Amino acid sequence: MTAEPAPSFDIADLQSKARDHLWMHFARQSTMDSPDGVPIIVRGEGHHIWDAAGRRYIDGLAGLFVVNAGHGRRRLAQAAARQAEQLAFFPIWSYAHPAAIELADRLADLAPGDLNHVFFSTGGGEAVETAFKLAKNYWKLIGKPGKHKVISRAIAYHGTPQGALAITGLPGMKQMFEPLTPGGFRVPNTNFYRAAEMGFTGASEEEFGRWAADRIEEMILFEGPDTVAAVFLEPVQNSGGCFPPPTGYFARVREICDRHDVLLVSDEVICAFGRVGEYFAADAFGYQPDMITFAKAVTSGYSPLGGTIVSDRIYEPFATGTTSFAHGYTFAGHPVSAAVALENLDIFEEEQLNAHVRENSPLFRAALERLTDLPIVGDVRGAGYFFGIELVKDKATKQTFDEAESERLLRGFLSKALYDAGLYCRADDRGDPVIQLAPPLTIGPAEFDEIEQILRGVLTEAWQRL
């Protein structure tokens, strides 16, 4: 971590205003009262960010799985300014504008198979909400009104709107908002490291993938195929710490969905646009979904945008006559955001960022796997530039930390210690305790080694404290 010349910010004034007026998301407001207050980030360049005191950090999370093309891309800011000068805003409610049209066309070309129709939103939760409502609407239009239930995986996060929250598999995020939208059901995820704890008795990861997929069919049959609308799955499940799909898993899920006439929704809010080395992760793992949800990195975070890409089959009942999808958002397909997304995709093509991820992902994995010599590191898993490091009390037994221990480890030490050491990443315990890494796609071997060294020092100290 190096210090830059102090920027012209009155840090005390900003901390006071934040404490009095800023309500942070997914955060304890009590952190505002800590001696250091809340970290205030003021600048980004490439894979680095700077705080208000001028200290530099590696952005090991791309903001929040977002800034895939890296910070400080002036051409993205300039694309936004050009569009705002020409047309700052117009809705796509019965009207259209060139930026949204061109972006929809380009995304349809990039999406797998017959996913040819793009319904824009402004973020990931809205994209999932759209897919949920669209699935129910579709089945009603084709004469199967009983198909309204949705299946997702344990510990999975799919957003916070009421519908998306019903799909989310994190009980602790749902209890305070109950009663939820009905119809959400959970099946095991693909955490092979914890497979035995889920009831799997086989040996190989491929066998586990089939076992986990078969639990989806089991749930469909238990609830009744005539009541199940869709299955929502992330290609690599984020919450819980980067669970990649075992070989054959998605092929089996696709087969099950086809057999029982259930839609398959690939929730790619995190995994799309290079995170696993392809524009869409369904291509990386070789399956054809009926819908893809996206957001985050479509603009590399330079302007908010999300969307749901839909197959010809689902679009068909809406294509003619008086039928419409009674759903939308004021800022969906915003001209400025769409212009930024188009420029962002140009950068991806010109710099071959997807190929860069595919080439360097094994080196990233190898750097992180060097940490498995530490007694606190139980598992390293993930894909592309998206990895989780699971922390354990006992490697031999895979014993995890209880709630109080996890609180002391993650919030009491690791989060701040990693940040102080120059690495912004995520220490998460929505499942078992993990550290997550999802840096900008522009980094390479030198940065992998730097990240590994920071993690090694902090995790060694964490174990000594335990």
Side-chain angles (χ1 to χ4, degrees):
M1 183 171 59
T2 60
E4 296 288 313
S8 55
F9 292 100
D10 185 334
I11 299 175
D13 181 59
L14 287 172
Q15 292 290 357
S16 176
K17 290 175 179 175
R19 183 174 58 252
D20 291 345
H21 304 294
L22 179 63
W23 198 331
M24 296 184 297
H25 295 205
F26 294 102
R28 298 174 181 179
Q29 289 300 107
S30 59
T31 60
M32 297 281 199
D33 296 322
S34 67
D36 295 329
V38 62
I40 299 174
I41 305 302
V42 300
R43 186 165 75 86
E45 189 70 32
H47 59 274
H48 287 112
I49 53 174
W50 282 260
D51 69 14
R55 291 184 293 265
R56 188 183 74 173
Y57 309 83
I58 296 173
D59 182 356
L61 204 62
L64 191 63
F65 317 103
V66 171
V67 192
N68 284 15
H71 296 275
R73 295 278 191 173
R74 288 164 181 80
R75 63 186 284 190
L76 294 181
Q78 290 164 354
R82 286 194 303 270
Q83 179 60 53
E85 289 175 351
Q86 184 178 75
L87 179 67
F89 171 76
F90 211 79
I92 51 174
W93 296 32
S94 301
Y95 296 83
H97 52 77
I101 294 169
E102 295 292 347
L103 181 58
D105 177 73
R106 194 158 176 183
L107 292 173
D109 284 345
L110 294 174
D114 68 342
L115 271 67
N116 291 317
H117 311 278
V118 184
F119 191 98
F120 286 115
S121 56
T122 62
E126 291 178 357
V128 172
E129 190 86 359
T130 296
F132 189 6
K133 291 176 70 175
L134 184 55
K136 292 193 286 187
N137 197 165
Y138 167 78
W139 289 120
K140 286 180 171 61
L141 286 175
I142 68 166
K144 298 183 178 182
K147 293 175 78 69
H148 68 280
K149 298 173 184 176
V150 289
I151 294 170
S152 60
R153 296 183 292 204
I155 318 178
Y157 174 81
H158 292 282
T160 56
Q162 280 290 92
L165 195 59
I167 303 171
T168 290
L170 292 159
M173 294 189 66
K174 299 149 71 95
Q175 293 165 353
M176 63 288 289
F177 306 116
E178 293 173 339
L180 301 177
T181 302
F185 297 88
R186 236 61 61 207
V187 295
N189 56 48
T190 58
N191 182 2
F192 184 56
Y193 185 66
R194 298 287 178 185
E197 298 170 25
M198 300 182 216
F200 173 66
T201 58
S204 74
E205 191 166 355
E206 188 169 352
E207 289 174 321
F208 171 62
R210 186 178 181 89
W211 176 89
D214 285 348
R215 303 289 73 74
I216 294 174
E217 182 168 43
E218 186 177 79
M219 182 64 75
I220 291 171
L221 292 172
F222 182 81
E223 291 298 322
D226 58 342
T227 72
V228 180
V231 174
F232 280 73
L233 303 174
E234 292 174 282
V236 178
Q237 183 174 317
N238 167 42
S239 183
C242 303
F243 306 146
T247 301
Y249 174 79
F250 272 109
R252 177 66 172 161
V253 171
R254 180 72 269 180
E255 176 188 322
I256 290 166
C257 288
D258 288 342
R259 180 182 303 130
H260 299 294
D261 203 14
V262 172
L263 303 179
L264 174 57
V265 182
S266 186
D267 183 357
E268 304 202 14
V269 170
I270 287 176
C271 289
F273 305 106
R275 184 51 57 195
V276 295
E278 300 287 350
Y279 284 109
F280 294 102
D283 283 329
F285 297 116
Y287 65 97
Q288 179 62 50
D290 299 292
M291 288 189 263
I292 287 177
T293 59
F294 69 88
K296 293 186 183 291
V298 66
T299 65
S300 284
Y302 285 70
S303 190
L305 184 68
T308 307
I309 312 178
V310 177
S311 70
D312 291 339
R313 170 196 177 188
I314 296 172
Y315 180 75
E316 193 277 332
F318 298 91
T320 58
T322 60
T323 303
S324 66
F325 182 35
H327 176 69
Y329 304 99
T330 298
F331 293 110
H334 194 285
V336 172
S337 296
V340 170
L342 287 165
E343 193 74 19
N344 185 53
L345 293 174
D346 285 345
I347 290 173
F348 267 71
E349 290 182 7
E350 293 166 17
E351 300 184 13
Q352 298 185 347
L353 290 182
N354 288 323
H356 178 79
V357 171
R358 293 194 300 270
E359 178 183 348
N360 285 282
S361 177
L363 302 178
F364 195 10
R365 181 188 296 274
L368 297 177
E369 286 180 342
R370 293 201 297 266
L371 297 168
T372 56
D373 67 345
L374 300 177
I376 196 172
V377 174
D379 191 32
V380 173
R381 55 182 177 254
Y385 273 22
F386 188 26
F387 288 99
I389 302 167
E390 182 166 336
L391 308 178
V392 293
K393 288 176 66 175
D394 188 311
K395 293 179 74 160
T397 65
K398 302 182 183 180
Q399 181 184 2
T400 190
F401 299 90
D402 63 32
E403 186 175 344
E405 291 168 333
S406 182
E407 173 75 16
R408 291 195 301 271
L409 175 64
L410 298 185
R411 295 174 189 84
F413 176 70
L414 275 179
S415 292
K416 187 176 187 304
L418 288 166
Y419 185 71
D420 289 345
L423 176 62
Y424 163 70
C425 59
R426 186 181 222 177
D428 189 14
D429 62 352
R430 289 176 295 177
D432 295 310
V434 295
I435 293 173
Q436 283 185 293
L437 295 156
L441 309 184
T442 52
I443 73 168
E447 290 78 27
F448 304 155
D449 290 341
E450 188 177 358
I451 289 170
E452 186 266 341
Q453 286 299 304
I454 292 173
L455 288 167
R456 178 173 295 278
V458 173
L459 290 174
T460 297
E461 184 178 352
W463 182 254
Q464 291 169 347
R465 285 170 174 259
L466 290 172

